[in-house]
């Protein structure tokens, strides 16, 4: 699945530059100039990494990372003009995973993003996982799914949906979150399209919609991967 990065900076030119270099390396990028908007995007989209400027117009970057660290372990790379040793140490003490000072090399920043994701694992689970006592296998790297030893052919959307749900068994995902994860934050399609993909996914997994094992409906919210399937 494509890694997602949120870029938070009040300078449009910097956001555009960083987005360009990240997308060139295959990342999906969201961006904002607002600390409050950044916190909202993190809650709804759950990016794999956040690039965070400290000098934001509404909420300071320090406050943003304090709030993040109270609710999330998403990796954070600080990107700021504050270059003193005290600033760098302070940023790392707040919970940043790396600290890049302006002016900066976009290529170096992208390399640091990759290094942080390799070190922390991001907010998603990499590598093959098995569920339901080994009956269901999900391999994000190979983009393969197997059931009882047989390959299950899924569309890209169905596969990404299954990977997202199975990465956090028991966690309830709203339709908006699932659309954002699978189709992208700017996707303008109707959130209920998720229901169609879930219906097809259940059918391919042999999951009884009236009594499902793998993909459970959370009334009024969306879906979750059944905890009982994670044995």
């Amino acid at each position: 699945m494509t890694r997602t990065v949120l870029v938070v900076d009040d300078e449009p030119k910097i956001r555009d530059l960083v987005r360009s270099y990240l997308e060139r390396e295959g990342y999906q990028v969201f961006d904002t100039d607002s600390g409050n908007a950044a916190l909202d995007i993190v809650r709804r989209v759950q990016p794999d990494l956040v690039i965070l400027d400290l000098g934001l117009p509404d909420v300071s970057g320090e406050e943003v990372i304090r709030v993040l660290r109270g609710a999330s372990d998403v990796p954070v790379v600080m990107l700021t003009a504050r270059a003193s040793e005290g600033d760098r140490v302070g940023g790392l003490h707040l919970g940043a995973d790396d600290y890049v000072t302006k002016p900066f090399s976009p290529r170096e920043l992208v390399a640091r993003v990759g290094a942080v994701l390799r070190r922390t694992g991001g907010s998603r689970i990499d590598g093959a996982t098995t569920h339901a006592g080994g009956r269901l296998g999900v391999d994000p790297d190979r983009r393969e799914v197997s059931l009882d030893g047989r390959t299950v052919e899924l569309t890209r959307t169905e596969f990404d949906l299954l990977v997202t749900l199975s990465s956090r068994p028991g966690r309830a995902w709203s339709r908006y979150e699932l659309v954002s994860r699978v189709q992208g934050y700017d996707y303008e399609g109707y959130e209920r399209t998720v229901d169609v993909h879930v219906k097809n996914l259940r059918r391919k997994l042999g999951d009884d919609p009236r009594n499902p094992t793998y993909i459970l409906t959370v009334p009024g919210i969306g879906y979750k991967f059944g905890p009982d399937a994670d044995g």
Side-chain angles (χ1 to χ4, degrees):
M1 185 185 293
T2 302
R3 294 284 197 177
T4 57
V5 178
L6 170 62
V7 180
V8 188
D9 197 290
D10 65 341
E11 298 183 52
K13 290 183 178 179
I14 288 181
R15 294 200 307 275
D16 291 344
L17 178 65
V18 174
R19 170 187 283 274
S20 174
Y21 273 80
L22 286 169
E23 289 182 339
R24 193 178 304 170
E25 295 299 317
Y27 294 97
Q28 181 182 4
V29 182
F30 311 119
D31 68 84
T32 180
D33 62 355
S34 161
N36 284 321
L39 293 171
D40 182 57
I41 292 171
V42 169
R43 280 192 294 267
R44 292 190 289 178
V45 178
Q46 296 191 352
D48 292 298
L49 182 140
V50 177
I51 297 175
L52 177 65
D53 183 20
L54 294 183
L56 300 174
D58 53 350
V59 181
S60 71
E62 290 93 341
E63 182 61 23
V64 170
I65 196 169
R66 286 191 189 97
V67 174
L68 283 178
R69 283 296 167 260
S72 171
D73 60 355
V74 60
V76 175
V77 175
M78 285 189 169
L79 179 63
T80 176
R82 303 178 192 177
S84 73
E85 180 182 4
D87 287 325
R88 293 196 302 273
V89 171
L92 295 172
H93 278 319
L94 281 172
D97 296 271
D98 203 349
Y99 196 104
V100 177
T101 57
K102 302 175 182 178
F104 64 97
S105 161
R107 292 179 61 188
E108 179 185 355
L109 176 61
V110 172
R112 286 176 178 264
V113 166
V116 169
L117 286 172
R118 287 192 298 273
R119 186 169 70 246
T120 63
S123 63
R124 294 177 184 163
I125 297 175
D126 292 330
T129 58
T130 58
H131 309 274
R135 292 188 60 212
L136 177 65
V138 181
D139 191 333
D141 296 329
R142 295 177 180 271
R143 296 191 68 83
E144 294 177 351
V145 173
S146 62
L147 181 65
D148 294 331
R150 297 188 301 273
T151 299
V152 180
E153 298 293 340
L154 301 178
T155 67
R156 182 194 66 81
T157 299
E158 290 164 359
F159 181 88
D160 289 348
L161 184 60
L162 178 60
V163 169
T164 298
L165 289 166
S166 64
S167 70
R168 300 276 296 277
R171 190 252 205 224
W173 298 82
S174 71
R175 290 177 175 84
Y176 180 87
E177 287 177 306
L178 293 172
V179 166
S180 300
R181 278 277 187 147
V182 173
Q183 302 287 6
Y185 185 66
D186 296 325
Y187 180 66
E188 296 180 353
Y190 189 41
E191 291 176 23
R192 287 283 178 175
T193 58
V194 171
D195 297 345
V196 177
H197 296 304
V198 166
K199 179 181 178 181
N200 292 335
L201 189 53
R202 280 173 169 166
R203 175 176 53 81
K204 292 181 179 181
L205 295 177
D207 219 3
D208 183 351
R210 292 168 297 182
N211 187 29
T213 297
Y214 302 114
I215 303 176
L216 280 58
T217 300
V218 182
I221 299 177
Y223 300 96
K224 67 180 178 180
F225 192 79
D228 293 340
D230 198 44

